[in-house]
Amino acid sequence: MDTLLFIVFAIVAVACALNLILQSHPISSALSLIGVMCSLAVLYLLLGAEFIAMAQMIVYGGAVMVLFVFVIMLMNAGAEKRSGKSWFAQFAGPPLLVLFAAVLAFLILRAVPKLRTVEFGTWVGGTAEHIGQMLFTEYLLPFEVISILILIAIMGAVVLASKEID
Amino acid sequence: MNFFLISLIKIVIVFGVFMTTLAYLQWVERKVLAHIQSRTGPLRVGPHGLMQPLADVFKLLTKEDLLPPYVNRIFYLGAPFIAVALALISISIIPFGPEIAVAGTRTYMQVGDVNVGVLFVLAIAAISVYGVALAGWSSNNKYSLLGGLRSSAQMISYELPLTLVIVSPLLLANHLSFREIGNSQAGYYLGFIPRWNIFQMPFPQIFGFIIFMIAAFAETNRIPFDLPEAENELVAGFHTEYSSMKFACFFMAEYANMVTITCVATLLFLGGWQPLFPAPYSNYVPVAVFLFAGVLCFLHAVRPARKRDRYTFPVFALAALALAILFALPWFQFVLAPIFWFASKVGFLLFTYIWVRGTLPRFRYDQLMHFAWTFLFPCALINLLLTALFVAIF
Amino acid sequence: MPHLPPVPLSWYLVLSAILFVLGVAGFLYRKSIITVFMSIELMLNAVNLSFVSFSYQLRRIDGHIYSFFVMVVAAAEAAVGLAIILTVFKNRGTLQIDEVDSMKR
């Protein structure tokens, strides 16, 4: 059952990611990205990370991507104009990217040979309780620092968006 | 195999009841609104208009399905399905009662328990913005676009106080699963005050409950926060261009969201299926309620206001009496009493929704945003801080 | 239902690599600022997947914490980045990356 789920959602994720870079309209790309994020949330659940899966849906799917869609709708951004690319990018680009992916996959398989197999339910370490324990004991300082970072980002966004530049 | 069969049965029951509730909620709403405004409401189709939902479904199904030429086809067709599918998912993790034993198998009155149930509901609520936003954008119409933009801005803004205020009952229950939250509210103070979160002592959570309900009104786009579909400004908001079944999808999604959010409110603040009175008395309450309803129906049948009431009210009276007898039998009582309490709390909250719709005027858009960010958000924050402080001290 | 063998964890890592490369491709090939920004988000997501996979391998939840931090940083980044994009759009009236080139001239 989890094998089937993995295959289905991995295919959905890759298809949506491909759609993201092939679609010319920003809103189609944004929706494909939401598809990637939701299928990744399912994969996180399979890996026993239930809290991260829900945080993925709430933070990425709910907050970040709503912001994207909102901005696209607000600017009424049309389809992207096709502009000329260099012949190098046109012809050598895709093979180089595939090569990059192959090298990455090869390195992963070489570097970590003894990997476990994933069976749903064999490890449930990622409950909200565990994450909370870790966040407020071992990772307390990074947690506080990151809250300050968020605060600065909010203020920065407000200042940037409200400023009129001549 | 047993697990799959039981799950299938539960899904069928929950789905059937949920769909019927959605259909009749609309009838109830029209009736209550009508009586608030001194009208009679739907009366033509069936006795007391009881067949009205069925007639509405037929009307919507057989209407011509218009597809305007200027819309963005894929998103235009996809948006209603996103909206309705996401609205129907959340009910699957709501527990309607405690563990029960039917024919030797023990099972929970819940389709599936999720460890992070509260987060799941929040996640689905976060995703369901897209249905409305896409519908508004893809219609290629300025009213729809404005409605969609307003709706997404409103839902994002009110999600903040909603989420903050959900945290305080979680602090009290110390668990994220709805089943555990419901279980944690069993028992009574001084023998008669129920230990529901709304009465929990550290800080009276009634303020939290009020903030939750206000934010819930905004999240479901209901009056007084129904700016996305304000008729006098935006025609019909994001669903201006939708007709027939696609319109029905948005309609159904709105009602499904209403039912889900009142179920969540019931579980988080009103003790879920826990009865209002201690055990020996609480079992007689449903019997008394249905007996009273039956006697009332008989009295109305004796002195009918309309001619047809002479035949309809005895039927209602007999149904109420049959329910009263059912609740008096020990075995049925065991299964049905939690559902009775849960349903009556949800029903009360839904009635409040309709009541507010019949009473309050609509906000202006700047008032709406101002209210969310400068009043509701700080209130939720203060509520959370005080609750956390009291939980930490006691 | 036929019984399928369980998935090795390496598949998850390879999926993460594929998604990362697709993010790089979008970043390099696309001309719309918003789509470029979304490609960055895709790369962050791919990295998150590998964090969670390694967390499963090591039976420790540090990976979850890191991916949580990545999410928070991504949210902050999206807020600031979209504010910048809005400002650029307000001032230049375009979203094409190669039309925002007044530093070159």
Side-chain angles (χ1 to χ4, degrees), chain B residues 65 141 247 347:
Chain B
D65 198 3
N141 168 330
F247 169 74

Side-chain angles (χ1 to χ4, degrees), chain B residues 208-331:
Chain B
F209 176 66
I210 292 169
I211 296 171
F212 182 92
M213 283 317 284
I214 294 173
F217 275 87
E219 278 290 295
T220 45
N221 291 337
R222 293 281 301 189
I223 286 180
F225 302 110
D226 67 336
L227 271 298
E229 40 198 293
E231 302 91 354
N232 41 11
E233 308 163 25
L234 293 177
V235 190
F238 60 90
H239 55 60
T240 304
E241 299 289 348
Y242 285 89
S243 57
S244 147
M245 210 48 217
K246 296 201 285 293
F247 169 74
C249 279
F250 281 117
F251 208 65
M252 204 159 86
E254 184 184 325
Y255 281 84
N257 280 331
M258 253 167 78
V259 173
T260 312
I261 211 148
T262 45
C263 285
V264 171
T266 305
L267 279 165
L268 286 178
F269 291 99
L270 298 183
W273 60 87
Q274 312 288 356
L276 183 58
F277 307 104
Y281 311 108
S282 69
N283 288 338
Y284 302 121
V285 172
V287 182
V289 166
F290 284 114
L291 270 180
F292 180 70
V295 171
L296 209 66
C297 285
F298 264 127
L299 285 181
H300 275 290
V302 171
R303 276 177 293 135
R306 285 179 297 273
K307 205 180 272 178
R308 218 188 290 163
D309 290 358
R310 200 185 298 271
Y311 312 107
T312 53
F313 271 112
V315 178
F316 294 150
L318 283 179
L321 290 181
L323 273 172
I325 291 168
L326 213 61
F327 272 99
L329 298 174
W331 190 85

Side-chain angles (χ1 to χ4, degrees), chain B residues 371-394:
Chain B
F371 183 68
W373 289 100
T374 60
F375 178 72
L376 215 53
F377 183 62
C379 279
L381 211 56
I382 291 168
N383 180 45
L384 173 61
L385 282 176
L386 284 177
T387 312
L389 193 69
F390 277 102
V391 168
I393 291 172
F394 298 111

Side-chain angles (χ1 to χ4, degrees), chain A:
Chain A
M1 191 65 185
D2 28 344
T3 310
L4 205 67
L5 280 176
F6 171 79
I7 291 170
V8 168
F9 281 99
I11 290 172
V12 169
V14 172
C16 284
L18 266 177
N19 201 36
L20 192 165
I21 59 174
L22 292 180
Q23 287 286 339
S24 65
H25 202 287
I27 211 150
S28 318
S29 302
L31 284 179
S32 332
L33 189 52
I34 295 164
V36 176
M37 282 160 178
C38 292
S39 41
L40 281 186
V42 176
L43 296 184
Y44 292 165
L45 275 182
L46 287 179
L47 288 169
E50 48 187 37
F51 179 77
I52 293 298
M54 290 304 141
Q56 165 99 355
M57 294 274 274
I58 296 174
V59 176
Y60 267 129
V64 174
M65 289 318 292
V66 167
L67 215 56
F68 269 98
V69 171
F70 204 72
V71 166
I72 294 170
M73 275 162 61
L74 207 63
M75 295 196 287
N76 204 7
E80 188 178 323
K81 271 177 262 168
R82 295 266 161 224
S83 54
K85 296 185 180 69
S86 67
W87 64 268
F88 181 77
Q90 295 247 340
F91 295 104
L96 276 177
L97 282 168
V98 172
L99 192 71
F100 183 42
V103 168
L104 271 183
F106 176 73
L107 283 179
I108 287 166
L109 295 180
R110 274 293 299 277
V112 273
K114 278 189 185 164
L115 284 171
R116 296 170 195 271
T117 56
V118 178
E119 273 162 285
F120 179 63
T122 51
W123 184 66
V124 278
T127 59
E129 194 186 345
H130 291 132
I131 302 260
Q133 285 281 353
M134 281 293 255
L135 268 185
F136 289 105
T137 53
E138 218 172 299
Y139 287 92
L140 185 60
L141 184 65
F143 182 69
E144 297 296 338
V145 170
I146 221 155
S147 354
I148 294 172
L149 174 79
I150 279 260
L151 191 64
I152 294 169
I154 295 170
M155 294 194 289
V158 169
V159 169
L160 269 174
S162 63
K163 199 156 84 181
E164 290 291 331
I165 304 169
D166 301 315

Side-chain angles (χ1 to χ4, degrees), chain B residues 82-161:
Chain B
I82 295 176
V84 76
L86 289 173
L88 294 180
I89 285 178
S90 299
I91 199 76
S92 60
I93 61 160
I94 302 287
F96 303 101
E99 195 179 22
I100 51 162
V102 181
T105 31
R106 303 189 68 78
T107 181
Y108 289 95
M109 288 192 207
Q110 181 181 21
V111 174
D113 187 40
V114 184
N115 271 342
V116 283
V118 178
L119 292 182
F120 181 80
V121 168
L122 287 177
I124 296 297
I127 301 284
S128 57
V129 180
Y130 295 115
V132 173
L134 274 184
W137 180 80
S138 67
S139 294
N140 237 340
N141 168 330
K142 62 185 169 194
Y143 299 121
S144 300
L145 181 66
L146 278 176
L149 278 176
R150 275 185 178 188
S151 166
S152 13
Q154 173 181 337
M155 280 163 109
I156 298 169
S157 307
Y158 278 87
E159 219 156 71
L160 279 162

Side-chain angles (χ1 to χ4, degrees), chain C residues 45-87:
Chain C
N45 263 287
V47 172
N48 265 357
L49 179 60
S50 64
F51 268 135
V52 175
S53 315
F54 280 121
S55 200
Y56 187 88
Q57 164 74 13
L58 300 172
R59 295 283 196 262
R60 290 170 59 90
I61 58 168
D62 299 63
H64 293 182
I65 307 278
Y66 283 121
S67 59
F68 181 72
F69 284 158
V70 169
M71 272 177 211
V72 175
V73 171
E77 176 217 333
V80 176
L82 287 172
I84 292 174
I85 291 176
L86 262 182
T87 317

